[in-house]
Amino acid sequence: MRLHSGPLGLSLAVLALFSARAGAQPVPAKIDFSRDVRPILSNHCFACHGPDEKVRKAKLRLDTREGAVAAAVVPGKPDASELITRLTASPDDASVMPPAKTGKKLTPREVEILKQWVKDGATYSQHWAYAKPVRPDAPKTKFPTTNAIDNFLFARLQAEKLSPMPEADRYTLARRVALDLTGLPPSAEEVEAFVSDKTPRAYEKFVDKQLAKPAFGEHWGRMWLDLARYADSAGYADDPLRTIWKYRDYVIQSFNANKPFDQFTVEQIAGDMLPNPTTEQLVATAFHRNTMTNNEGGTSDEEFRNAAVVDRVNTTFMVWMGTSMACAQCHTHKYDPITQIEYFRSLAFFNNTEDADRVDETPILPFWTDELLAKKSALEKQVADLDAALKGKKPDEMKPERDKLVALKNDLAAVKPLTTVPVMKELTGTARRKTKLQFRGNFMDLGDEVTEGTPAALHALPEKAPRTRLEFAKWLVSAENPLTARVIANKFWEQIFGTGIVRTSEEFGAQGEQPSHPELLDWLATELVAQKWDVKQFLKLIVMSTAYRQSAKVSPELFERDPENRLLARGPRVRLSAEMIRDQALFAAGLLSAKTLGPSVRPQQPNLGVTAAFGGSIDWQTSTGEDKYRRGLYTQWRRSNPYPSMSTFDAPNRDICIVRRARTNTPLQALVLMNDPVYTEAAQALARRTIEKGGKTTAEKAAFAFRACLVRAPSEAEVERLVTLYEAAEAKFAKDAAKATQFATNPLGPLPKGVGVTDAAAWTVVVNVVMNLDEMLMKR
């Protein structure tokens, strides 16, 4: 078969390579149930022969040893086991398993694994993710290491007869680690200081500097906002705007303050239930007020209140425990040991908050400035004084004062807080709701009442602890929890290396992938807890490793052996997120605002002239001043119409929790970079910087623009190509002044005095090309 060239052809080639390699894999010498057998049974058998007794076929249960041995497996005797007989039956045999109508079929290798497993005694073991991590000893390796991360990775490389790559050069490291920790490139001054620093701690000092920047909290806050399904609108059909940006600021400030992650967790799940909660802790509870609300006329408030509570359960288990609880809302989980009753026992923790899908989103927390409070207090005093003065007066004597009182009350009503944020507040006493099982997840078809509780397959709540949302939050980050530390460590690893140790970072259950380095994952999980959930220290540990500092260059042989870099025999090479791509362009152009926190903003976007079915025009009025140049995470996020250029680069609409963004490479992305007003303006601004500060010669200017975008210096060949491009563009624009003017000034505005329009337009072309380079969009 001949493969097409280009991205599709490459994808097919990689797929073919994977298929070939998978087929060639031998049966392991020693069968491990969790690694080798459970995935086969989960993918092919559990849907009909698993935990859900309502759909279980032939009364056969294969997710437990008792069930398997009772009906289908004879330990030690594969030829006498009905399981093996059915799996090896002829495709025409009606008894063949899986049934032909399912379209599923085990590979010969999978059948051999199951045969060997039965022959060895058909032993079962607890799913790895449900066993509390035990800290393993770091293995020895012949390769130089910086910390235990290297020991685990390099010992695996040694076993695979591979070697790590040498350390990347300092320009590459400077850009890589700055992007990973702050989402922004380093300044030219920072880079040169790092490159010229010959002391042993030069790299560590550079890392510490990045960790200390306010940009750190903004970058990692963006990651968390995906998990929190943060948006500046309520969702559903009309999708009205809502005010909740104080929660976004809480997240940013928490990361910058290096708030311990366990505290960060408890505040967001149950900050309102802490003793004497602070304003900050109350704001934190907006994590679960980010759920969508539906205030369209004729809708049922209770239906959508229930939908919000369901979302809170699903989001909580997915974010902290990598568990797809949503399956158990309608029936007992088909793959994992979670019953429908356990789902609603978990839901009961969230079912007694005051919010109820109201238009005004109460309960809300107001924020007052000192000036507004003083004005409010003064007006309240005037109203009270006038009220007192009117007592005892005859009606005909009261008209002027009454008119003044009405005016004062109107003035008082007009004094509004600076902003508000919806928060969680627990119902008390007789107002508390009863939680009942919902058949098929229907909030109107109710079963027996259930009380608060957690899945039995996981660690238990403390026996005498009250069954409250606060205790549930503590349960999430308990030292006994087998999942949270693993899931969070894996999430941070995924952000740095592009893929988690568990690739399915949203799913650690039976349907998730096995860890590529299970011992390393357990070591990281126990290390995160041992560090008392210190996020900055944990991230520093990762980026200080020798493995992280490797060159990302790859030989054809290594690419064939490990195309996705799962073994990490080279440094990470990962496509940047939508926000990072935009922020980097503005940073290189000298346009990016350093302003932090505050209300969401509306940067430039193409005017489409389109009206939504509900909610009117989707165009907006661009923010003025530096607000239109703020970092991407401050952009107003409307669920029905997310910022279009960032959507093109795979940013989600955040209707629901997003654990793992897709990473795509499409022609539309190139069109955005070449034509979107934000990127056009950035190119024009950098062109002007290049003319002003880039040096005297065309070659010097080309090198300046290149370094501004990519940090490193260009090669002679790269400079030569950029100079040739500049000369060709200049010659073309010299013949068309109108086109040159448009290309150099729209949308940025008139050129500075002394800057020629042809020169500016030509450099805009050059910069636009550099901003479209693969290297600009990748972390190498």
Side-chain angles (χ1 to χ4, degrees):
M1 179 178 70
R2 181 182 177 187
L3 296 176
H4 294 287
S5 61
L8 177 59
L10 179 61
S11 298
L12 290 172
V14 171
L15 181 60
L17 175 64
F18 273 136
S19 299
R21 286 179 59 77
Q25 284 182 315
V27 173
K30 184 176 181 181
I31 300 296
D32 179 272
F33 177 79
S34 195
R35 181 194 65 208
D36 304 315
V37 177
R38 189 193 302 275
I40 301 173
L41 298 179
S42 180
N43 290 334
H44 296 91
C45 309
F46 285 179
C48 298
H49 305 294
D52 190 353
E53 69 279 0
K54 292 181 180 178
V55 298
R56 194 179 298 143
K57 304 290 176 64
K59 298 182 180 179
L60 170 61
R61 185 170 185 179
L62 291 175
D63 63 311
T64 66
R65 190 173 194 275
E66 294 76 15
V69 170
V73 172
V74 180
K77 299 180 179 180
D79 293 339
S81 298
E82 186 71 12
L83 173 68
I84 304 302
T85 301
R86 294 292 189 97
L87 292 175
T88 56
S90 167
D92 300 327
D93 192 327
S95 68
V96 68
M97 287 290 157
K101 65 181 180 181
T102 66
K104 294 183 177 182
K105 182 176 175 59
L106 272 68
T107 65
R109 178 179 181 272
E110 289 173 329
V111 172
E112 287 304 312
I113 286 174
L114 293 181
K115 283 182 178 179
Q116 188 63 45
W117 168 65
V118 173
K119 184 178 180 181
D120 292 344
T123 57
Y124 277 69
S125 62
Q126 185 181 26
H127 183 51
W128 67 268
Y130 301 143
K132 182 180 174 182
V134 176
R135 188 178 182 87
D137 293 329
K140 293 181 179 179
T141 174
K142 67 181 181 181
F143 301 115
T145 64
T146 300
N147 56 41
I149 290 174
D150 300 320
N151 290 76
F152 287 101
L153 293 176
F154 293 169
R156 173 75 180 277
L157 292 182
Q158 197 170 321
E160 298 274 352
K161 295 182 169 51
L162 293 171
S163 300
M165 290 291 288
E167 183 169 296
D169 66 84
R170 287 202 169 186
Y171 288 101
T172 298
L173 281 179
R175 181 172 182 266
R176 180 191 295 175
V177 77
L179 285 171
D180 273 334
L181 295 181
T182 71
L184 295 173
S187 69
E189 294 76 19
E190 281 182 287
V191 174
E192 294 308 319
F194 169 52
V195 170
S196 61
D197 187 348
K198 305 304 179 185
T199 64
R201 291 190 63 251
Y203 177 70
E204 184 177 5
K205 287 188 291 184
F206 187 83
V207 168
D208 288 340
K209 187 171 184 178
Q210 307 312 309
L211 290 168
K213 290 181 178 179
F216 171 84
E218 292 174 319
H219 177 58
W220 290 91
R222 195 284 307 157
M223 174 207 72
W224 192 258
L225 296 183
D226 277 1
L227 301 174
R229 65 275 197 237
Y230 172 87
D232 296 298
S233 67
Y236 294 113
D238 52 350
D239 196 28
L241 293 175
R242 67 161 29 140
T243 304
I244 197 169
W245 55 264
K246 273 288 183 181
Y247 169 75
R248 183 240 293 132
D249 288 359
Y250 160 82
V251 172
I252 295 169
Q253 290 170 316
S254 294
F255 275 107
N256 274 335
N258 201 26
K259 182 175 292 181
F261 188 82
D262 56 345
Q263 180 185 341
F264 184 59
T265 296
V266 170
E267 289 179 352
Q268 290 179 92
I269 299 295
D272 58 308
M273 302 184 77
L274 291 168
N276 303 312
T278 63
T279 298
E280 180 183 13
Q281 290 166 338
L282 294 175
V283 172
T285 66
F287 174 86
H288 271 324
R289 294 302 309 278
N290 277 304
T291 46
M292 296 193 292
T293 59
N294 193 347
N295 297 304
E296 187 181 352
T299 58
S300 163
D301 285 350
E302 178 56 19
E303 177 184 0
F304 288 97
R305 183 200 73 82
N306 185 79
V309 177
V310 165
D311 178 80
R312 287 165 191 167
V313 176
N314 300 343
T315 295
T316 300
F317 276 86
M318 187 171 288
V319 170
W320 278 275
M321 304 192 74
T323 300
S324 55
M325 280 290 280
C327 300
Q329 181 191 353
C330 299
H331 52 75
T332 291
H333 206 295
K334 292 185 183 298
Y335 302 100
D336 293 311
I338 302 169
T339 68
Q340 188 183 23
I341 290 174
E342 288 174 332
Y343 180 92
F344 284 96
R345 294 194 73 191
S346 299
L347 183 140
F349 286 110
F350 297 95
N351 199 30
N352 274 294
T353 55
E354 282 190 13
D355 58 285
D357 199 61
R358 302 184 186 96
V359 175
D360 61 6
E361 297 214 341
T362 53
I364 59 174
L365 182 67
F367 284 81
W368 298 91
T369 63
D370 291 342
E371 183 182 352
L372 285 171
L373 281 175
K375 184 177 181 181
K376 183 170 179 280
S377 179
L379 285 169
E380 287 173 340
K381 186 176 186 306
Q382 291 178 55
V383 168
D385 290 345
L386 195 52
D387 265 333
L390 288 174
K391 287 180 180 177
K393 285 196 173 185
K394 297 178 181 179
D396 57 344
E397 298 175 333
M398 293 170 57
K399 188 174 186 314
E401 286 84 354
R402 265 205 325 244
D403 291 344
K404 184 178 180 182
L405 184 61
V406 169
L408 283 170
K409 287 183 176 180
N410 287 338
D411 290 343
L412 180 59
V415 180
K416 303 292 184 184
L418 173 68
T419 189
T420 60
V421 61
V423 294
M424 302 280 270
K425 187 176 181 181
E426 194 76 354
L427 292 170
T428 59
T430 57
R432 288 182 66 81
R433 305 181 185 95
K434 292 182 178 180
T435 300
K436 297 183 178 182
L437 184 141
Q438 300 173 7
F439 294 113
R440 304 300 301 173
N442 185 342
F443 81 107
M444 299 180 71
D445 189 3
L446 303 177
D448 294 337
E449 182 179 354
V450 297
T451 56
E452 292 85 350
T454 53
L458 302 172
H459 63 297
L461 284 161
E463 195 171 320
K464 296 183 179 179
R467 296 314 190 238
T468 66
R469 186 160 37 91
L470 178 58
E471 290 305 319
F472 177 81
K474 294 177 180 177
W475 175 83
L476 284 176
V477 289
S478 161
E480 300 304 310
N481 190 323
L483 280 165
T484 297
R486 280 188 178 119
V487 168
I488 300 305
N490 189 70
K491 182 65 182 172
F492 288 139
W493 185 274
E494 177 185 68
Q495 293 300 299
I496 298 293
F497 285 101
T499 305
I501 296 172
V502 176
R503 186 203 303 268
T504 52
S505 49
E506 71 284 355
E507 179 57 85
F508 274 51
Q511 287 297 97
E513 285 197 15
Q514 293 282 313
S516 60
H517 298 78
E519 295 82 8
L520 173 58
L521 180 61
D522 280 4
W523 187 89
L524 289 169
T526 56
E527 181 68 11
L528 181 58
V529 175
Q531 290 177 357
K532 299 183 178 178
W533 302 90
D534 186 320
V535 172
K536 287 189 177 183
Q537 183 61 30
F538 186 78
L539 292 172
K540 180 177 177 179
L541 178 74
I542 295 175
V543 301
M544 287 299 297
S545 68
T546 302
Y548 173 80
R549 289 189 257 179
Q550 293 176 98
S551 168
K553 294 177 182 177
V554 58
S555 66
E557 296 76 20
L558 182 56
F559 182 79
E560 182 178 351
R561 180 78 178 275
D562 185 16
E564 293 190 316
N565 198 23
R566 299 288 282 143
L567 296 174
L568 292 171
R570 58 187 184 273
R573 185 180 184 275
V574 184
R575 195 169 180 84
L576 304 181
S577 68
E579 292 86 348
M580 292 168 75
I581 291 170
R582 177 183 178 275
D583 294 349
Q584 182 181 219
L586 294 177
F587 181 89
L591 294 175
L592 186 68
S593 167
K595 183 178 177 182
T596 62
L597 311 178
S600 298
V601 296
R602 296 176 166 188
Q604 287 189 94
Q605 65 175 4
N607 287 322
L608 303 175
V610 175
T611 300
F614 299 91
S617 172
I618 65 174
D619 292 330
W620 65 27
Q621 187 68 40
T622 300
S623 296
T624 59
E626 69 174 320
D627 278 352
K628 76 173 184 175
Y629 301 121
R630 297 192 66 193
R631 291 195 70 171
L633 88 161
Y634 296 114
T635 299
Q636 186 182 94
W637 211 271
R638 193 162 189 176
R639 286 177 161 125
S640 61
N641 178 39
Y643 191 58
S645 70
M646 288 201 282
S647 292
T648 304
F649 285 98
D650 307 310
N653 64 4
R654 294 190 180 143
D655 282 351
I656 58 173
C657 164
I658 299 297
V659 175
R660 182 167 51 127
R661 285 191 185 185
R663 284 198 298 267
T664 64
N665 185 353
T666 69
L668 187 57
Q669 293 169 352
L671 291 173
V672 166
L673 293 173
M674 289 188 288
N675 299 293
D676 185 272
V678 167
Y679 295 99
T680 302
E681 188 172 29
Q684 290 168 347
L686 181 51
R688 297 178 189 187
R689 281 188 66 208
T690 299
I691 293 168
E692 179 188 356
K693 301 179 179 179
K696 295 181 180 180
T697 68
T698 305
E700 289 173 340
K701 288 181 169 63
F704 175 88
F706 191 94
R707 282 195 301 269
C709 292
L710 303 177
V711 176
R712 69 175 177 88
S715 67
E716 289 184 11
E718 287 167 331
V719 170
E720 184 179 338
R721 288 172 189 151
L722 294 177
V723 168
T724 300
L725 175 62
Y726 166 80
E727 290 171 347
E730 184 186 39
K732 186 173 181 179
F733 284 124
K735 299 174 183 177
D736 193 336
K739 184 174 288 186
T741 300
Q742 180 185 24
F743 207 79
T745 63
N746 184 17
L748 185 56
L751 290 167
K753 189 176 180 179
V755 176
V757 66
T758 302
D759 195 25
W763 280 116
T764 300
V765 169
V766 173
V767 168
N768 192 277
V769 167
V770 177
M771 286 185 171
N772 270 272
L773 292 176
D774 173 78
E775 189 174 345
M776 182 77 172
L777 309 179
M778 302 292 292
K779 177 194 73 180
R780 295 190 177 202

